[in-house]
Amino acid sequence: TEYSHMFSEFGIDAALMGHDHIYTRTYMINGMDIIDDESLYGKVGDDKYGSITDPAEGSVLYLTANSGSGSKFYEMTDKHLPFSACSNQENVPNLTKVDVTADSIQFTTYRCTAKNEIGDVVDFFAIHRTKGVGQ
């Protein structure tokens, strides 16, 4: 809990984690407060929590990567995690691409096996900034 408060205090937009062998993307979180109000997010495809524009100060996205090599996967024992906007375990290696521009950060997670097509997306999320950009 100390880290989450520090990340919020220091203006961290996103914390990327690995070694959990299950893909999880949280809602935005401020300290320990989960920001799951659907009206604050933008819909991307079928995901009503697919993006956010100008999140409140102190809001942090946490993204935990799945196995990239496919050497180990963990079974999801709890399908409903109150902090999770997206959790996924298909026992398929994943790769997350992070695109950073002056006014956005985009996270696109892909399935990575020989039988998957290019662009086979597991999850997508974007943080957009309009306030203070270019200053």
Side-chain angles (χ1 to χ4, degrees):
T1 63
E2 289 181 37
Y3 284 119
S4 60
H5 290 288
M6 288 174 38
F7 291 165
S8 291
E9 180 181 337
F10 291 118
I12 304 296
D13 289 317
L16 307 178
M17 302 169 284
H19 204 76
D20 195 22
H21 305 283
I22 294 173
Y23 177 81
T24 303
R25 170 178 49 93
T26 68
Y27 300 103
M28 300 300 287
I29 298 176
N30 191 326
M32 294 297 290
D33 296 327
I34 299 166
I35 304 165
D36 60 355
D37 179 350
E38 184 181 334
S39 70
L40 300 174
Y41 294 84
K43 187 175 180 183
V44 176
D46 291 335
D47 184 359
K48 58 187 172 186
Y49 298 97
S51 70
I52 193 164
T53 300
D54 296 324
E57 185 175 332
S59 298
V60 181
L61 172 77
Y62 294 87
L63 192 145
T64 303
N66 198 354
S67 175
S69 67
S71 62
K72 182 187 278 187
F73 299 105
Y74 292 154
E75 184 178 331
M76 292 177 60
T77 56
D78 188 353
K79 305 269 190 232
H80 177 70
L81 304 170
F83 54 82
S84 175
C86 178
S87 295
N88 179 276
Q89 180 55 279
E90 300 172 349
N91 297 329
V92 173
N94 290 173
L95 172 81
T96 299
K97 180 181 176 210
V98 181
D99 293 302
V100 180
T101 68
D103 60 355
S104 72
I105 304 174
Q106 296 182 357
F107 307 89
T108 310
T109 300
Y110 298 94
R111 292 173 187 90
C112 301
T113 66
K115 61 184 172 186
N116 294 117
E117 304 272 331
I118 291 177
D120 195 355
V121 175
V122 171
D123 186 42
F124 173 86
F125 187 76
I127 300 171
H128 302 283
R129 299 270 186 200
T130 63
K131 299 174 183 174
V133 173
Q135 297 178 357

